[in-house]
């Protein structure tokens, strides 16, 4: 029940295309869903995050879509660029009383020039 | 600029050796974490600490221990390294109550156990 399932494991997209990464969770107590971006040789860094009281959050070319009833959330990267090539991790957290994130298994994105 | 530093980027050790991985943060964060990252398995939490001298087991604590004697420093210890502990180790820190506990990561230590 503590797992966060992420798919696909890898993704290849043409420059200018839309990249979509999906995550699903079971624990309805999760109330914070961040996405982290990791470039080779670097640690992950927060990209964008959402709370379950909204269905969508957009920051530039990055959008999180959240479906509370289906217990799923996804990251959409519009107009994907070669510089977006990285590994993306979704995560889930219960913000009251704990500091832990449960991370998905990661998606390696490659955007072709 | 927030910073989490890890003592080594690459480390090679022999089976049975005692290994110390050190992490330092300069943000006065209360919480610190150790993860290991393996292909296809994502980030798995080994141990975390929410205060000096406090520690809690994560999801995969077996074979590891930790030490937090000062707020800014969190050490991961492999008492007797084994080949299945070959991995990328990531340290992170977060401030209690701020921005939903956003975690800031160090660059990682790639440990190879021969």
């Amino acid at each position: 029940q503590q797992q966060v399932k992420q798919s696909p494991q890898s993704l290849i997209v043409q420059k200018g295309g839309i990249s979509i990464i999906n995550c699903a969770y079971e624990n309805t107590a999760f109330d914070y869903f961040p996405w982290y971006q990791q470039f080779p040789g670097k640690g992950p860094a927060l990209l964008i995050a959402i709370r379950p009281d909204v269905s969508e959050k957009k920051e530039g070319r990055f959008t999180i879509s959240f479906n509370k009833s289906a217990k799923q959330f996804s990251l959409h990267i519009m107009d994907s660029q070669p510089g977006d090539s990285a590994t993306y991790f979704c995560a889930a957290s219960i913000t009251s009383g704990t500091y832990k994130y449960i991370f998905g298994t990661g998606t390696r994105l490659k955007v072709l020039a | 600029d927030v910073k989490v530093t890890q003592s080594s980027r690459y480390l090679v050790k022999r089976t049975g050796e005692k290994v110390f991985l050190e992490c330092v943060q300069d943000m006065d964060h209360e919480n610190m974490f150790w993860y290991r990252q393996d292909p296809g398995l994502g980030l798995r939490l080994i141990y975390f600490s929410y205060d000096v001298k406090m520690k809690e087991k994560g999801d995969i604590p077996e074979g590891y221990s930790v030490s937090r004697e000062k707020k800014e420093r969190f050490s991961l210890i492999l008492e007797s390294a084994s080949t299945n502990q070959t991995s990328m180790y990531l340290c992170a820190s977060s401030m209690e109550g701020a921005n939903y506990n956003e975690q800031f990561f160090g660059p990682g230590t790639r440990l190879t156990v021969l």
Side-chain angles (χ1 to χ4, degrees):
Chain A
Q1 199 179 19
Q2 284 290 88
Q3 278 188 317
V4 176
K5 295 182 179 179
Q6 183 172 347
S7 63
Q9 189 170 355
S10 63
L11 183 61
I12 299 175
V13 173
Q14 293 287 337
K15 180 182 176 182
I18 302 173
S19 304
I20 301 174
I21 304 170
N22 301 299
C23 285
Y25 63 98
E26 289 294 325
N27 189 347
T28 56
F30 289 139
D31 61 355
Y32 179 61
F33 301 89
W35 285 88
Y36 277 73
Q37 180 187 53
Q38 183 183 30
F39 292 107
K42 305 284 188 182
L46 180 65
L47 179 65
I48 186 173
I50 197 167
R51 297 269 286 179
D53 50 349
V54 296
S55 60
E56 185 176 282
K57 183 172 182 180
K58 186 175 181 179
E59 290 183 3
R61 295 183 295 106
F62 300 91
T63 299
I64 301 177
S65 297
F66 187 83
N67 186 330
K68 190 174 182 178
S69 60
K71 292 184 282 187
Q72 295 175 348
F73 59 109
S74 59
L75 177 69
H76 296 238
I77 306 174
M78 312 301 286
D79 187 26
S80 298
Q81 299 296 313
D84 297 329
S85 297
T87 300
Y88 293 82
F89 294 96
C90 62
S93 174
I94 303 169
T95 55
S96 60
T98 184
Y99 318 97
K100 298 195 310 180
Y101 288 174
I102 307 298
F103 281 93
T105 51
T107 297
R108 180 174 286 185
L109 171 66
K110 183 167 186 175
V111 182
L112 302 176
Chain B
D1 196 19
V2 298
K3 201 154 189 181
V4 178
T5 56
Q6 296 184 228
S7 51
S8 305
R9 294 300 303 270
Y10 300 93
L11 209 52
V12 180
K13 296 293 182 181
R14 297 280 179 190
T15 301
E17 279 192 80
K18 191 169 186 175
V19 182
F20 293 87
L21 303 181
E22 297 210 322
C23 175
V24 177
Q25 50 96 1
D26 65 359
M27 298 165 281
D28 200 35
H29 284 172
E30 291 82 6
N31 309 316
M32 297 188 75
F33 309 82
W34 275 107
Y35 294 89
R36 64 177 282 176
Q37 179 177 5
D38 300 287
L41 297 177
L43 302 172
R44 294 181 291 166
L45 182 64
I46 304 171
Y47 267 97
F48 68 102
S49 168
Y50 52 90
D51 201 352
V52 175
K53 296 190 186 295
M54 305 301 288
K55 61 185 179 184
E56 286 201 24
K57 293 180 180 179
D59 301 316
I60 52 165
E62 296 78 21
Y64 303 94
S65 62
V66 292
S67 172
R68 192 165 181 203
E69 297 295 320
K70 293 185 177 182
K71 189 176 186 180
E72 67 271 16
R73 189 179 298 268
F74 192 35
S75 301
L76 180 69
I77 303 155
L78 288 65
E79 294 289 343
S80 178
S82 64
T83 55
N84 63 13
Q85 293 178 310
T86 292
S87 186
M88 171 69 81
Y89 290 88
L90 290 163
C91 175
S93 71
S94 70
M95 179 186 293
E96 183 173 342
N99 194 24
Y100 306 109
N101 300 315
E102 175 185 352
Q103 293 190 14
F104 295 87
F105 283 84
T109 295
R110 183 163 296 280
L111 172 67
T112 302
V113 182
L114 302 175

